[in-house]
Amino acid sequence: MTTEAAPPPGGAGTSVASPTAEEFEAVQRSPEFAALRSSHRSFAFPLTVAFVAWYLLYVLLSNYAGGFMGTRLFGNVNVALVLGLGQFATTFLIAWLYARHAAAKLDPKADAIKARMENGR
């Protein structure tokens, strides 16, 4: 089976120089990379701590507050079901918030660092 597609850039016949270990280390020490790490950590760590605390609260309530968790809210829906579904909702909310944060704050910084490395500067 053959295709008419052109070969990918950097394929046979051309050589693309990849960054050396020293260049990667220099980028890791750069203020730009530190700003990227700081932006990621300042968003990810607080949300991670908040979600783990929320999850542990749910587990502790399930184990030690059975009466409260079994309280019917309406029909056959109780507090445990609502809080359990809330776990799923917060997981998707956090993923959506992180995707927005990454697109707005992290990706432009990472793209700038990548472009600088690819240009050999």
Side-chain angles (χ1 to χ4, degrees):
M1 181 168 126
T2 62
T3 64
E4 299 299 321
T14 62
S15 83
V16 175
S18 48
T20 65
E22 292 79 19
E23 290 170 325
F24 276 111
E25 290 171 3
V27 167
Q28 287 177 341
R29 290 187 300 269
S30 73
E32 296 159 326
F33 192 76
L36 176 63
R37 271 194 328 249
S38 175
S39 183
H40 169 71
R41 289 177 179 168
S42 67
F43 183 86
F45 286 171
L47 273 181
T48 300
V49 169
F51 183 77
V52 168
W54 158 230
Y55 175 74
L56 290 176
L57 175 66
Y58 176 73
V59 170
L60 290 172
L61 288 172
S62 294
N63 282 322
Y64 300 111
F68 169 71
M69 295 294 272
T71 303
R72 289 180 186 248
L73 299 176
F74 54 89
N76 287 329
V77 177
N78 61 17
V79 172
L81 178 62
V82 171
L83 293 180
L85 292 174
Q87 292 287 317
F88 287 102
T90 55
T91 299
F92 288 111
L93 176 66
I94 289 170
W96 178 72
L97 289 172
Y98 182 78
R100 288 186 59 207
H101 172 74
K105 306 273 173 131
L106 303 179
D107 292 347
K109 292 176 184 178
D111 289 342
I113 292 169
K114 179 183 173 191
R116 191 171 54 107
M117 285 194 75
E118 287 175 345
N119 293 333
R121 291 192 271 144

